[in-house]
Amino acid sequence: MILPVFLYGQAVLRQKAEDVAKDYPEIKKLVADMYDTMYHADGVGLAAPQIGLSISLLVIDANVLGDDFPECVGFKRTMINPDIIERSEEEILLEEGCLSIPGISEKVSRAKVIKVKYLDEDFVEHEETIDGFAARVVQHECEHLEGKVFIDNISAIRRQLNKGKINSILKGTVKCSYRAKAVGK
C-alpha cells in the first residue's frame, strides 16, 4: 500500500525514533508498504518517521544510482534499529534531496565510509562496512531516526536562500508527484 510521505514541519520528523521490538505487529507488511511508497515517490531511501511512525526502521534501494555510483548496484537493505558504529574521517561533499523536503537539494558533507549494525526484516543481525554514495544514503536515512533532516547540515545562508521553498512546504502549497501529508493537512 502506498502511504503518504510526511513533509517538513511535521512533528514526527523531529522526534527520536523508538527501537523496534521483535514482536512489532505486521513488520513485514510495513516494510513492503514502505518500499511501495518509496518506489512510487521515486526515492532511494525512506525512514519510518517519513510515513508518520517514530520507530527505528528504514528501507533503501539505491540500485537506480548504479550507473553513476557503482557501489549502489544491488544495494537494497531493510534496516531495523540501525546504529552507525564507525565513520571515516574522510568526508565527501555531494548534493542530496529528501522526499520530506520536495524541491530542495543541497550539498552535504558526509563520511565516505561507515560501519553500521542493524537487524534485517527477519531480525537477523548484520554488521556491514559501506562506502561512497551508499554510505551517504544510509547516513541520510539514519538522521531521520535521530529527528534530523538533511537541511540541518547546510549553512545558515543556504537555509535562508531556500526559505521561500521551505515556507511553501510548511504552508502545504508545494506540489508533489506522490502522496504527501503537509502540516495541518
Side-chain angles (χ1 to χ4, degrees):
M1 176 186 351
I2 296 168
L3 306 167
V5 175
F6 281 52
L7 299 184
Y8 184 76
Q10 290 279 9
V12 70
L13 295 174
R14 292 302 191 179
Q15 295 170 359
K16 180 164 176 27
E18 299 289 325
D19 279 353
V20 178
K22 284 187 179 185
D23 63 349
Y24 192 89
E26 298 189 44
I27 191 77
K28 290 198 179 197
K29 181 180 181 337
L30 175 58
V31 167
D33 289 348
M34 287 178 67
Y35 275 110
D36 287 348
T37 301
M38 179 185 72
Y39 292 138
H40 179 74
D42 292 326
V44 296
L46 187 70
Q50 293 180 275
I51 57 161
L53 297 174
S54 189
I55 60 172
S56 189
L57 167 65
L58 59 90
V59 297
I60 294 171
D61 188 346
N63 193 58
V64 69
L65 302 172
D67 287 347
D68 295 322
F69 304 100
E71 65 274 16
C72 291
V73 172
F75 191 84
K76 182 177 180 180
R77 304 285 188 279
T78 299
M79 296 184 172
I80 298 171
N81 304 334
D83 182 21
I84 298 172
I85 55 175
E86 288 180 28
R87 295 175 197 261
S88 65
E89 287 187 27
E90 182 184 0
E91 294 191 344
I92 296 178
L93 184 69
L94 285 173
E95 201 158 292
E96 292 183 19
C98 181
L99 295 176
S100 292
I101 310 175
I104 298 177
S105 59
E106 287 289 335
K107 289 187 175 181
V108 176
S109 186
R110 298 216 186 257
K112 181 182 186 303
V113 180
I114 62 169
K115 184 183 281 189
V116 62
K117 283 174 58 170
Y118 63 94
L119 303 171
D120 64 22
E121 61 271 21
D122 295 315
F123 288 88
V124 174
E125 188 172 313
H126 298 265
E127 186 173 301
E128 185 175 5
T129 299
I130 305 168
D131 72 352
F133 209 88
R136 172 174 298 277
V137 177
V138 172
Q139 290 171 85
H140 175 110
E141 298 307 328
C142 283
E143 274 191 349
H144 280 298
L145 305 178
E146 296 298 321
K148 297 178 181 175
V149 292
F150 85 99
I151 60 173
D152 295 341
N153 300 314
I154 64 174
S155 69
I157 193 147
R158 294 302 310 163
R159 275 194 298 280
Q160 187 64 32
L161 291 169
N162 283 296
K163 193 171 178 111
K165 291 178 183 178
I166 291 170
N167 284 338
S168 78
I169 295 168
L170 292 170
K171 291 177 189 170
T173 58
V174 68
K175 299 287 185 227
C176 291
S177 61
Y178 46 88
R179 284 184 66 198
K181 185 169 176 60
V183 174
K185 303 272 179 171

